[in-house]
Amino acid sequence: MFSKKSEEPTRPSLPKAQSKSVARGNGSTFSVIGSDVVITGNVVASADLHVDGTIEGDISCASIVQGEDSVITGAVEAATARLAGTIRGSINSTELIILQSARIEGDVHYDALTIEQGAQVEGRFSHSKPKAASKASKAAAATPEDPSLSLAG
């Protein structure tokens, strides 16, 4: 009748990393890497990524937004990128926005580029050529013709 419930020992809760996935209204998700998180290793995400912490490794994702205090040491590859922090590595992006607080040390490959006044980039900029155009240029290089220059009107 009076039975004593066996109490289970309570486990101390471990601190949770400040990284979470959030669903957007349109069905896609994005992951947030908090300012107190340090990741050593490559990051691959099919979702969008918001980075406020430190990543020591390459990043490959659909879209990346980098906070001002964030540091990424490694290559960044994303369809769209909005960079505000420090990156030490190459960047390959279709649509790239470099904000005034950004500090980039590495080569930058892009299709569309916006750079705010005050941003610092130490590296080479290279406009990515569309794949069809690069095939056409290889075919043109294979045919021995005199080089010509034409202007679009």
Side-chain angles (χ1 to χ4, degrees):
M1 185 161 152
F2 295 104
S3 64
K4 187 175 183 178
K5 291 183 182 178
S6 62
E7 292 184 25
E8 293 182 22
T10 59
R11 296 181 190 168
S13 63
L14 298 174
K16 293 182 181 179
Q18 195 178 0
S19 175
K20 61 182 179 175
S21 291
V22 179
R24 290 186 182 176
N26 60 7
S28 67
T29 61
F30 68 96
S31 295
V32 178
I33 297 175
S35 60
D36 64 334
V37 176
V38 176
I39 296 175
T40 302
N42 297 338
V43 175
V44 178
S46 58
D48 300 343
L49 202 58
H50 184 101
V51 179
D52 284 324
T54 300
I55 297 177
E56 297 173 4
D58 297 343
I59 299 174
S60 178
C61 60
S63 177
I64 185 169
V65 174
Q66 181 192 30
E68 286 185 20
D69 297 327
S70 171
V71 177
I72 298 170
T73 304
V76 175
E77 186 167 341
T80 61
R82 184 177 179 92
L83 309 175
T86 300
I87 295 183
R88 294 181 190 99
S90 64
I91 300 167
N92 190 353
S93 180
T94 304
E95 184 179 336
L96 177 61
I97 299 171
I98 302 174
L99 301 176
Q100 69 180 9
S101 59
R103 305 296 175 252
I104 298 171
E105 298 173 15
D107 294 344
V108 178
H109 306 275
Y110 62 92
D111 286 343
L113 175 65
T114 303
I115 303 175
E116 287 187 350
Q117 185 175 358
Q120 295 178 7
V121 179
E122 292 183 33
R124 292 179 290 184
F125 285 93
S126 171
H127 184 267
S128 302
K129 296 178 182 144
K131 291 178 180 159
S134 64
K135 287 180 184 177
S137 65
K138 286 180 184 177
T143 60
E145 295 180 9
D146 291 332
S148 63
L149 174 65
S150 61
L151 300 175

